[in-house]
Amino acid sequence: MNKTYVIYGSSTGICEDIASRISKKLGLSDNDVINVAQLNAGQVNEAVNLILGTSTWGAGDFQDDWYDGLKVLQACNLKGKTVALFGCGDSESYGDTFCGGMSELYKGLQDSGVRFIGAVPVDGYHYDDSESVIDDKFVGLALDEVNESDKTDERIDDWIKLIKPEL
């Protein structure tokens, strides 16, 4: 597998935990998991693959550290890099903006020359609306550790099977 970083933004620790779980399932080291608040251009430039994760806040916004983190990414030459997204949300309390933070990352990088992988069908999810859904698929892996934690491991495993051959 080419050089891969799992980069996350987490306020409560849930997204950080998910990033760690994804990293382990991909066989990456702890050094390959980066808090977006510590992200620098050197890391972005040396990676071929970026797995980006965010929790969703407010009206579908990404986690606060991603405002600066997205600027770091956008300042780099991302052409040809592979990007997979994952997001954490609450489908019951915030069903109208479920995992919307992923869409902010997607929109922020869609014109940068990256190749997105890992879109997930909406089947089996229960939510009202999400900006992260395009053509009946989430732009990445959507997870709900608040209401559907019993589905998280299976969803991660299925997603890893989907993206790993492309990393």
Side-chain angles (χ1 to χ4, degrees):
M1 181 167 42
N2 293 311
K3 183 61 178 172
T4 302
Y5 283 125
V6 179
I7 304 164
Y8 68 90
S10 187
S11 296
T12 65
I14 292 173
C15 199
E16 179 179 9
D17 175 60
I18 297 297
S20 178
R21 289 158 70 180
I22 289 170
S23 172
K24 284 180 181 28
K25 289 176 183 277
L26 284 171
L28 302 174
S29 77
D30 290 343
N31 294 331
D32 296 326
V33 181
I34 302 169
N35 182 332
V36 70
Q38 277 81 50
L39 182 65
N40 64 60
Q43 295 161 318
V44 176
N45 291 333
E46 74 180 346
V48 175
N49 306 309
L50 301 168
I51 300 173
L52 311 176
T54 184
S55 48
T56 298
W57 294 91
D61 300 319
F62 50 36
Q63 192 269 345
D64 285 345
D65 294 327
W66 272 110
Y67 289 98
D68 289 335
L70 185 58
K71 290 176 187 174
V72 171
L73 289 171
Q74 291 170 331
C76 295
N77 179 5
L78 300 177
K79 187 174 182 179
K81 292 190 186 292
T82 299
V83 172
L85 303 173
F86 69 95
C88 301
D90 180 338
S91 63
E92 286 186 22
S93 298
Y94 301 97
D96 59 335
T97 60
F98 180 59
C99 288
M102 279 194 301
S103 72
E104 296 299 312
L105 291 174
Y106 180 82
K107 290 174 190 174
L109 298 175
Q110 69 182 6
D111 294 327
S112 66
V114 302
R115 179 175 67 102
F116 286 103
I117 62 170
V120 173
V122 298
D123 302 338
Y125 287 90
H126 303 283
Y127 63 98
D128 296 324
D129 194 23
S130 178
E131 290 289 320
S132 292
V133 174
I134 298 174
D135 297 328
D136 295 323
K137 289 186 175 184
F138 287 102
V139 294
L141 175 62
L143 298 170
D144 182 348
E145 277 290 272
V146 177
N147 305 293
E148 297 183 341
S149 61
D150 58 317
K151 297 179 181 181
T152 298
D153 284 328
E154 181 180 355
R155 286 177 172 165
I156 291 173
D157 289 343
D158 290 345
W159 190 64
I160 295 293
K161 288 177 195 168
L162 177 69
I163 68 169
K164 193 168 184 177
E166 299 196 54
L167 297 175

